[in-house]
Amino acid sequence: YTYVGKQDRKTRPIQVNDITFMIGNTVIPHSDPHLHLAESVTINFGDQKSDIRNEEVTQFNNDDLEFNPVAHWAATVRRIRSYPNFHPSWEVFTFFDGHNFSRITASEMLSDIRAAVRAIGPKVLGFTSNDVGTHSVRSSFAMMAYLAKEPVYTIMLIGRWSSTAFLSYIEPQIKEFTGGVSKRMLTHETFFHVSGATNPSDDTPTDREVFGRQGSLRQRLRK
């Protein structure tokens, strides 16, 4: 999404023509004045360093005023299309200030992220602007999706992780991480130990059958 320099990279930057808006199964042209009202937006990531080509990820319009993927991508497309001599192959980090063209860099993005963190403050977030970087966007997505109880495979597919490496982004020190766990643990207050099963003719339950093995913490707590 941002310009990181001229070094040789396997990852091709996202271009305007990689972005597709749709209503149902109908593609909406970028020139449509109601582009921001599309039902979904799909990004084609082209060649990636993982050697996966033309991987596509779709996000839907959620009607949120701040975190709406369709509205944000529509604004990006409109901004770039408004520049003189526009071409669909232009990268999404292209910027024109009215006089000169430039590229939105990773360092500029980092400045914006840190400014946002300072504005919200550590009392709300629990960390400072010195604790974040450009990769914090991906880690935030993983954490938000996890807290929303999205399945692991959904997080992997949308985040384009080919392995469970994304788990390193899940921060167990987040207060909300264990929300509801202590209550859900009580769903199965007891559990049956199969190896402790007795003869069917013996109807008398044993401590091991119901409360775990002899001497276990669970059994001691029951006494």
Side-chain angles (χ1 to χ4, degrees):
Y1 306 109
T2 59
Y3 181 68
V4 296
K6 295 182 179 181
Q7 65 267 33
D8 182 31
R9 303 180 67 208
K10 286 187 177 181
T11 301
R12 176 180 64 76
I14 298 173
Q15 302 172 349
V16 173
N17 54 15
D18 292 323
I19 307 170
T20 303
F21 297 85
M22 301 185 73
I23 294 181
N25 295 328
T26 301
V27 174
I28 307 303
H30 288 174
S31 58
D32 193 303
H34 303 295
L35 193 63
H36 60 290
L37 299 179
E39 289 182 356
S40 66
V41 59
T42 299
I43 310 299
N44 184 308
F45 287 88
D47 296 338
Q48 300 293 297
K49 58 184 178 183
S50 61
D51 291 328
I52 298 177
R53 296 184 176 182
N54 298 317
E55 186 175 18
E56 294 184 331
V57 173
T58 298
Q59 287 280 14
F60 283 79
N61 194 322
N62 58 16
D63 296 322
D64 189 89
L65 297 178
E66 292 185 284
F67 300 107
N68 189 330
V70 172
H72 282 296
W73 276 113
T76 297
V77 168
R78 286 170 172 163
R79 173 178 59 79
I80 300 175
R81 282 175 52 84
S82 70
Y83 297 160
N85 302 314
F86 162 76
H87 193 276
S89 65
W90 285 5
E91 291 90 354
V92 295
F93 50 62
T94 303
F95 183 75
F96 181 66
D97 63 5
H99 301 283
N100 301 298
F101 279 94
S102 61
R103 300 180 176 95
I104 300 173
T105 66
S107 59
E108 289 175 314
M109 182 63 68
L110 176 59
S111 295
D112 285 345
I113 293 173
R114 288 180 171 171
V117 171
R118 284 193 295 270
I120 298 173
K123 288 186 177 180
V124 174
L125 298 174
F127 55 85
T128 70
S129 59
N130 294 326
D131 299 316
V132 298
T134 53
H135 227 54
S136 297
V137 176
R138 282 175 65 77
S139 61
S140 294
F141 157 73
M143 196 70 224
M144 291 173 71
Y146 177 84
L147 293 176
K149 303 192 183 306
E150 291 294 337
V152 168
Y153 58 82
T154 300
I155 299 175
M156 291 177 62
L157 290 173
I158 295 179
R160 297 181 296 113
W161 281 289
S162 57
S163 70
T164 55
F166 84 93
L167 290 174
S168 63
Y169 293 123
I170 305 300
E171 302 286 355
Q173 64 266 34
I174 298 298
K175 179 173 66 69
E176 292 81 2
F177 179 80
T178 54
V181 171
S182 59
K183 185 175 183 178
R184 291 194 299 272
M185 286 172 61
L186 300 179
T187 302
H188 301 284
E189 188 176 354
T190 62
F191 21 80
F192 185 82
H193 200 303
V194 176
S195 65
T198 59
N199 189 294
S201 62
D202 185 356
D203 295 329
T204 304
T206 66
D207 284 346
R208 183 175 181 180
E209 287 175 321
V210 181
F211 301 128
R213 64 183 182 277
Q214 186 70 28
S216 68
L217 175 63
R218 188 174 183 82
Q219 187 187 78
R220 293 198 302 272
L221 290 174
R222 281 292 182 177
K223 292 182 177 181

